[in-house]
Short mmCIF file of all heavy atoms in Angstrom, two decimals:
data_model
loop_
_atom_site.label_atom_id
_atom_site.label_comp_id
_atom_site.label_asym_id
_atom_site.label_seq_id
_atom_site.Cartn_x
_atom_site.Cartn_y
_atom_site.Cartn_z
N PRO I 1 0.85 -1.22 0.01
CA PRO I 1 0.00 -0.02 -0.02
C PRO I 1 0.87 1.27 0.00
O PRO I 1 2.00 1.27 0.46
CB PRO I 1 -0.78 -0.10 1.32
CG PRO I 1 -0.72 -1.61 1.68
CD PRO I 1 0.60 -2.08 1.19
N ALA I 2 0.35 2.32 -0.56
CA ALA I 2 0.99 3.59 -0.59
C ALA I 2 2.33 3.65 -1.29
O ALA I 2 3.18 4.48 -0.97
CB ALA I 2 1.13 4.20 0.83
N SER I 3 2.57 2.66 -2.16
CA SER I 3 3.80 2.57 -2.94
C SER I 3 3.50 3.09 -4.38
O SER I 3 2.43 3.24 -4.79
CB SER I 3 4.33 1.19 -2.98
OG SER I 3 3.47 0.33 -3.68
N SER I 4 4.66 3.28 -5.13
CA SER I 4 4.53 3.65 -6.55
C SER I 4 3.80 2.52 -7.33
O SER I 4 2.96 2.81 -8.22
CB SER I 4 5.90 3.97 -7.14
OG SER I 4 5.80 4.31 -8.44
N ALA I 5 4.08 1.27 -6.99
CA ALA I 5 3.43 0.12 -7.71
C ALA I 5 1.95 0.15 -7.41
O ALA I 5 1.14 -0.09 -8.36
CB ALA I 5 4.01 -1.17 -7.20
N ALA I 6 1.49 0.47 -6.21
CA ALA I 6 0.12 0.54 -5.94
C ALA I 6 -0.56 1.68 -6.72
O ALA I 6 -1.67 1.55 -7.27
CB ALA I 6 -0.12 0.70 -4.44
N ALA I 7 0.09 2.86 -6.73
CA ALA I 7 -0.42 4.06 -7.45
C ALA I 7 -0.56 3.77 -8.94
O ALA I 7 -1.47 4.31 -9.55
CB ALA I 7 0.48 5.26 -7.18
N GLN I 8 0.31 2.90 -9.51
CA GLN I 8 0.26 2.63 -10.94
C GLN I 8 -0.53 1.35 -11.25
O GLN I 8 -0.52 0.80 -12.36
CB GLN I 8 1.71 2.44 -11.45
CG GLN I 8 2.52 3.76 -11.44
CD GLN I 8 2.01 4.74 -12.41
OE1 GLN I 8 1.50 4.34 -13.48
NE2 GLN I 8 2.13 6.02 -12.03
N ASN I 9 -1.27 0.82 -10.24
CA ASN I 9 -2.18 -0.30 -10.41
C ASN I 9 -1.46 -1.55 -10.92
O ASN I 9 -1.94 -2.31 -11.72
CB ASN I 9 -3.35 0.05 -11.37
CG ASN I 9 -4.20 1.15 -10.82
OD1 ASN I 9 -4.59 1.17 -9.67
ND2 ASN I 9 -4.52 2.13 -11.66
N VAL I 10 -0.27 -1.77 -10.35
CA VAL I 10 0.42 -3.07 -10.62
C VAL I 10 -0.38 -4.11 -9.83
O VAL I 10 -0.73 -4.04 -8.70
CB VAL I 10 1.84 -3.05 -10.17
CG1 VAL I 10 2.50 -4.35 -10.19
CG2 VAL I 10 2.66 -2.02 -10.92
N ASN I 11 -0.65 -5.25 -10.59
CA ASN I 11 -1.56 -6.31 -10.07
C ASN I 11 -0.76 -7.52 -9.58
O ASN I 11 0.27 -7.88 -10.25
CB ASN I 11 -2.55 -6.78 -11.11
CG ASN I 11 -3.44 -5.65 -11.52
OD1 ASN I 11 -4.00 -4.90 -10.65
ND2 ASN I 11 -3.70 -5.53 -12.78
N VAL I 12 -1.20 -8.08 -8.48
CA VAL I 12 -0.66 -9.38 -8.06
C VAL I 12 -0.95 -10.42 -9.14
O VAL I 12 -2.01 -10.46 -9.67
CB VAL I 12 -1.26 -9.81 -6.69
CG1 VAL I 12 -0.90 -11.26 -6.40
CG2 VAL I 12 -0.84 -8.90 -5.58
N GLY I 13 0.10 -11.16 -9.48
CA GLY I 13 -0.12 -12.18 -10.54
C GLY I 13 0.44 -11.75 -11.87
O GLY I 13 0.56 -12.58 -12.79
N ALA I 14 0.78 -10.48 -12.01
CA ALA I 14 1.33 -10.01 -13.30
C ALA I 14 2.68 -10.61 -13.48
O ALA I 14 3.45 -10.62 -12.58
CB ALA I 14 1.36 -8.49 -13.34
N GLN I 15 3.04 -11.06 -14.73
CA GLN I 15 4.37 -11.57 -14.99
C GLN I 15 5.31 -10.42 -15.25
O GLN I 15 5.06 -9.52 -16.02
CB GLN I 15 4.34 -12.54 -16.14
CG GLN I 15 5.72 -13.22 -16.37
CD GLN I 15 5.68 -14.24 -17.42
OE1 GLN I 15 4.64 -14.56 -18.07
NE2 GLN I 15 6.78 -14.91 -17.64
N LEU I 16 6.48 -10.46 -14.68
CA LEU I 16 7.54 -9.48 -14.85
C LEU I 16 8.38 -9.95 -16.01
O LEU I 16 8.92 -11.04 -16.03
CB LEU I 16 8.42 -9.36 -13.61
CG LEU I 16 9.59 -8.37 -13.74
CD1 LEU I 16 9.12 -6.93 -13.95
CD2 LEU I 16 10.48 -8.52 -12.51
N LEU I 17 8.47 -9.03 -17.06
CA LEU I 17 9.29 -9.40 -18.25
C LEU I 17 10.61 -8.68 -18.27
O LEU I 17 11.67 -9.29 -18.61
CB LEU I 17 8.44 -8.99 -19.48
CG LEU I 17 7.05 -9.62 -19.62
CD1 LEU I 17 6.36 -9.14 -20.92
CD2 LEU I 17 7.16 -11.15 -19.59
N THR I 18 10.65 -7.40 -17.91
CA THR I 18 11.90 -6.65 -17.92
C THR I 18 11.97 -5.70 -16.75
O THR I 18 10.95 -5.25 -16.27
CB THR I 18 12.06 -5.83 -19.22
OG1 THR I 18 11.12 -4.80 -19.28
CG2 THR I 18 11.91 -6.67 -20.49
N ILE I 19 13.22 -5.40 -16.35
CA ILE I 19 13.53 -4.32 -15.38
C ILE I 19 14.46 -3.37 -16.10
O ILE I 19 15.61 -3.77 -16.42
CB ILE I 19 14.11 -4.94 -14.04
CG1 ILE I 19 13.21 -5.90 -13.45
CG2 ILE I 19 14.50 -3.80 -13.13
CD1 ILE I 19 13.83 -6.60 -12.23
N ASP I 20 14.06 -2.17 -16.29
CA ASP I 20 14.90 -1.18 -16.95
C ASP I 20 15.49 -1.70 -18.28
O ASP I 20 16.63 -1.61 -18.56
CB ASP I 20 16.10 -0.77 -16.02
CG ASP I 20 16.76 0.57 -16.36
OD1 ASP I 20 16.07 1.38 -17.09
OD2 ASP I 20 17.83 0.84 -15.95
N THR I 21 14.51 -2.25 -19.00
CA THR I 21 14.79 -2.83 -20.38
C THR I 21 15.53 -4.17 -20.39
O THR I 21 15.75 -4.80 -21.37
CB THR I 21 15.45 -1.87 -21.36
OG1 THR I 21 16.83 -1.68 -21.00
CG2 THR I 21 14.75 -0.50 -21.37
N GLN I 22 16.01 -4.60 -19.19
CA GLN I 22 16.78 -5.87 -19.09
C GLN I 22 15.81 -7.01 -18.91
O GLN I 22 15.10 -7.05 -17.89
CB GLN I 22 17.84 -5.81 -17.97
CG GLN I 22 18.64 -7.10 -17.91
CD GLN I 22 19.74 -6.95 -16.88
OE1 GLN I 22 20.15 -5.82 -16.52
NE2 GLN I 22 20.30 -8.11 -16.42
N SER I 23 15.87 -8.02 -19.79
CA SER I 23 15.00 -9.18 -19.64
C SER I 23 15.35 -9.98 -18.37
O SER I 23 16.51 -10.17 -18.09
CB SER I 23 15.12 -10.06 -20.86
OG SER I 23 14.40 -11.24 -20.70
N VAL I 24 14.28 -10.48 -17.70
CA VAL I 24 14.48 -11.33 -16.56
C VAL I 24 14.30 -12.77 -16.87
O VAL I 24 14.30 -13.71 -16.01
CB VAL I 24 13.55 -10.86 -15.40
CG1 VAL I 24 13.84 -9.49 -14.95
CG2 VAL I 24 12.08 -11.06 -15.73
N ALA I 25 14.10 -13.07 -18.20
CA ALA I 25 13.88 -14.46 -18.62
C ALA I 25 15.08 -15.22 -18.24
O ALA I 25 16.22 -14.89 -18.54
CB ALA I 25 13.61 -14.51 -20.16
N GLY I 26 14.90 -16.42 -17.60
CA GLY I 26 15.98 -17.26 -17.16
C GLY I 26 16.60 -16.99 -15.92
O GLY I 26 17.47 -17.76 -15.36
N MET I 27 16.23 -15.81 -15.30
CA MET I 27 16.85 -15.50 -14.03
C MET I 27 16.19 -16.28 -12.89
O MET I 27 15.01 -16.59 -12.93
CB MET I 27 16.64 -13.98 -13.67
CG MET I 27 17.45 -13.06 -14.44
SD MET I 27 17.22 -11.31 -13.82
CE MET I 27 18.26 -10.39 -14.95
N THR I 28 16.99 -16.62 -11.87
CA THR I 28 16.37 -17.17 -10.65
C THR I 28 15.76 -16.01 -9.92
O THR I 28 16.05 -14.80 -10.13
CB THR I 28 17.47 -17.82 -9.77
OG1 THR I 28 18.38 -16.81 -9.32
CG2 THR I 28 18.23 -18.89 -10.55
#
């Protein structure tokens, strides 16, 4: 609550694909 993710309506269950354009595919 009260975080940037909450303000931007990030949903539980959404798959994360990239962080700062870097793919997370294959990462532990």
Side-chain angles (χ1 to χ4, degrees):
S3 67
S4 182
Q8 294 291 327
N9 296 315
V10 172
N11 297 316
V12 170
Q15 184 174 3
L16 178 65
L17 303 179
T18 68
I19 301 175
D20 200 17
T21 72
Q22 182 173 340
S23 173
V24 299
M27 286 187 183
T28 66

